[in-house]
């Protein structure tokens, strides 16, 4: 992979994560694109910034572009990257509407270029182990899927980020920002597709005290920042009931106001022969539930993992892998396709098709909450 050049657009928290993961794989990061070159240069450890997005696209060394920009920029930037003939990795959400995401999927498929929506949580090795166990039938037919994705970084009315601005983040916030990670992961692990949803969205802080200047994501509550009041309409939390196409049921709670939960994605699968559960707060563990014998804790160990999971872990048991490693493993799969110069027949990474699916689910959730009824997912 050392012969592949990549550029990262966006120099916030996640942009830095992308750069670090690519460097660990030996990918040359030719440069970054920030909101301004001067601001990008203030981030330690990043390569020299390009003067503009267009200058980056004109660089023949760049074969892959990673987009970690605010949500409203994804659609036009993906189109520009594909038109420039470059492979693309786009942070979620792929776009703001299903019309946009559907168009991007069509353009990507027609181009023959490698395309990925950055649902990295799939690449915890223990999550892939859970998927293998479900596929083998270890817990029998799964009749229930439930869990949470909860954080606390927007708990206070003084907490602010561009995601709260619908012009940049879109109409959905908690669901689009973190909820789609849960929906994508549980769909990946179970192999189930959602048929319909019944959702309740709630905004606790209908007014927030917004800084008059820029602040970094996860910067915390600062007292030395000038603020003004701003009305908020996007959801702080969501509760979603789920009906899958096979008739099974599920539910998820999503919140960015759960004190003490910094980044907790958890799911549990209830099957006819047993249960299994995983939490991002204890990512090395898979809980195995039994009716007639003692429950178990399975610890990540390449020697014990299913081959499909062992292929995405690098350290021996007892040497913890975490959040940054999921990006590395995701890009390893993506860049293997880049080296081939085309999309695999069966990609082992989330594509624009998965990104489009999550937009469709989000629209169904929003419509259900607005109309207070069950809504079918339109595909």
């Amino acid at each position: 992979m050392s012969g592949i050049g990549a550029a990262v657009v966006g120099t916030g928290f996640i942009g830095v994560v992308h750069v670090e993961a690519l460097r660990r794989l030996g990918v040359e990061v030719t440069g970054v694109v920030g909101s301004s070159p001067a601001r990008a240069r203030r981030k330690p450890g990043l390569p020299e910034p390009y003067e503009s997005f267009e200058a980056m696209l004109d660089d023949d060394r760049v074969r892959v572009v990673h987009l970690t920009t605010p949500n409203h920029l994804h659609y036009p930037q993906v189109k520009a990257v594909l038109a420039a003939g470059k492979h693309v990795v786009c942070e979620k959400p792929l776009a703001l509407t299903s019309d946009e995401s559907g168009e991007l999927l069509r353009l990507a498929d027609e181009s023959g270029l490698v395309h990925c929506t950055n649902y990295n949580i799939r690449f915890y090795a223990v999550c892939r182990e859970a998927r293998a166990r479900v596929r083998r039938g270890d817990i029998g037919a799964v009749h229930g899927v439930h869990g949470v994705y909860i954080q606390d970084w927007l708990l206070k009315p003084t907490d602010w980020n561009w995601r709260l601005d619908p012009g940049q983040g879109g109409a959905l916030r908690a669901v689009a920002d973190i909820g789609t990670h849960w929906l994508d992961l549980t769909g990946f692990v179970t192999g189930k597709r959602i048929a319909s949803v019944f959702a309740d969205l709630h905004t606790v802080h209908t007014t927030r005290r917004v800084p008059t200047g820029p602040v970094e994501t996860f910067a915390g509550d600062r007292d030395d920042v000038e603020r003004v009041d701003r009305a908020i309409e996007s959801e702080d939390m969501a509760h979603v009931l789920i009906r899958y196409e096979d008739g099974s049921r599920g539910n998820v709670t999503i919140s960015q106001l759960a004190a003490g939960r910094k980044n907790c994605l958890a799911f549990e699968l209830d099957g006819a022969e047993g249960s299994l559960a995983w939490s991002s707060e204890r990512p090395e563990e898979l809980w195995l539930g039994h009716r007639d014998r003692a429950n178990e804790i399975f610890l990540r160990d390449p020697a014990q993992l299913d081959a499909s999971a062992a292929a995405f872990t690098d350290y021996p048991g007892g040497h913890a892998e975490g959040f940054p490693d999921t990006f590395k493993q995701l890009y390893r799969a993506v860049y293997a396709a880049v080296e081939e110069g085309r999309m695999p027949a069966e990609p082992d990474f989330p594509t624009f098709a998965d990104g489009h699916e999550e937009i469709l689910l989000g629209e169904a959730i929003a419509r259900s909450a607005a109309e207070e009824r069950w809504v079918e997912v339109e595909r």
Side-chain angles (χ1 to χ4, degrees), residues 130-206:
R131 181 175 190 252
R133 288 172 180 253
V134 170
R135 285 190 163 192
R136 289 201 307 255
D138 288 9
I139 64 172
V142 176
H143 52 253
V145 182
H146 49 97
V148 301
Y149 200 154
I150 50 178
Q151 301 174 327
D152 71 356
W153 70 291
L154 293 175
L155 174 63
K156 299 179 180 181
T158 50
D159 292 326
W160 177 258
N161 178 265
W162 60 260
R163 291 169 177 81
L164 289 143
D165 178 355
Q168 296 186 76
L172 280 178
R173 190 230 310 163
V175 170
D177 185 30
I178 59 176
T180 56
H181 269 298
W182 189 93
L183 295 167
D184 177 79
L185 178 62
T186 51
F188 173 74
V189 171
T190 63
K192 293 179 181 290
R193 203 175 194 203
I194 295 174
S196 59
V197 295
F198 196 134
D200 178 54
L201 307 183
H202 182 51
T203 306
V204 175
H205 297 306
T206 56

Side-chain angles (χ1 to χ4, degrees), residues 71-307:
N71 302 346
H72 71 294
L73 296 175
H74 293 177
Y75 171 70
Q77 288 181 340
V78 169
K79 288 186 70 173
V81 172
L82 293 174
K86 300 181 188 296
H87 309 289
V88 59
V89 175
C90 184
E91 271 293 339
K92 50 74 199 164
L94 180 58
L96 295 185
T97 70
S98 60
D99 286 342
E100 291 180 348
S101 60
E103 181 185 355
L104 294 181
L105 174 58
R106 176 182 60 79
L107 291 173
D109 283 344
E110 290 174 353
S111 73
L113 295 164
V114 176
H115 50 90
C116 167
T117 309
N118 205 90
Y119 285 112
N120 60 293
I121 309 299
R122 293 186 184 193
F123 284 82
Y124 280 102
V126 175
C127 289
R128 301 185 83 90
E129 175 70 17
R131 181 175 190 252
R133 288 172 180 253
V134 170
R135 285 190 163 192
R136 289 201 307 255
D138 288 9
I139 64 172
V142 176
H143 52 253
V145 182
H146 49 97
V148 301
Y149 200 154
I150 50 178
Q151 301 174 327
D152 71 356
W153 70 291
L154 293 175
L155 174 63
K156 299 179 180 181
T158 50
D159 292 326
W160 177 258
N161 178 265
W162 60 260
R163 291 169 177 81
L164 289 143
D165 178 355
Q168 296 186 76
L172 280 178
R173 190 230 310 163
V175 170
D177 185 30
I178 59 176
T180 56
H181 269 298
W182 189 93
L183 295 167
D184 177 79
L185 178 62
T186 51
F188 173 74
V189 171
T190 63
K192 293 179 181 290
R193 203 175 194 203
I194 295 174
S196 59
V197 295
F198 196 134
D200 178 54
L201 307 183
H202 182 51
T203 306
V204 175
H205 297 306
T206 56
T207 300
R208 285 184 180 265
R209 298 283 295 158
V210 179
T212 56
V215 293
E216 294 290 340
T217 303
F218 305 120
D221 184 23
R222 294 176 52 184
D223 295 327
D224 60 342
V225 175
E226 183 181 355
R227 300 175 184 274
V228 296
D229 286 347
R230 178 164 176 171
I232 302 297
E233 296 182 358
S234 60
E235 78 283 2
D236 289 318
M237 62 177 64
H239 298 81
V240 185
L241 296 177
I242 297 167
R243 290 174 179 167
Y244 293 98
E245 289 181 345
D246 65 359
S248 57
R249 299 295 199 264
N251 66 81
V252 61
T253 295
I254 302 158
S255 176
Q256 294 176 315
L257 278 67
R261 297 296 189 180
K262 303 305 177 186
N263 190 42
C264 178
L265 187 161
F267 68 83
E268 184 163 334
L269 311 183
D270 301 325
E273 306 297 331
S275 299
L276 60 80
W278 178 83
S279 169
S280 63
E281 293 187 326
R282 304 181 70 91
E284 298 276 277
E285 300 179 2
L286 185 65
W287 179 86
L288 304 173
H290 306 292
R291 163 70 181 268
D292 299 317
R293 57 187 175 91
N295 298 332
E296 303 171 80
I297 299 292
F298 175 87
L299 297 176
R300 184 196 61 83
D301 182 345
Q304 304 296 325
L305 289 168
D306 183 87

Side-chain angles (χ1 to χ4, degrees), residues 63 87 112-115 334 336-345 349:
R63 292 177 58 191
H87 309 289
L113 295 164
V114 176
H115 50 90
V334 170
V338 170
E339 286 183 318
E340 293 291 326
R342 55 184 173 80
M343 286 291 286
F349 54 86

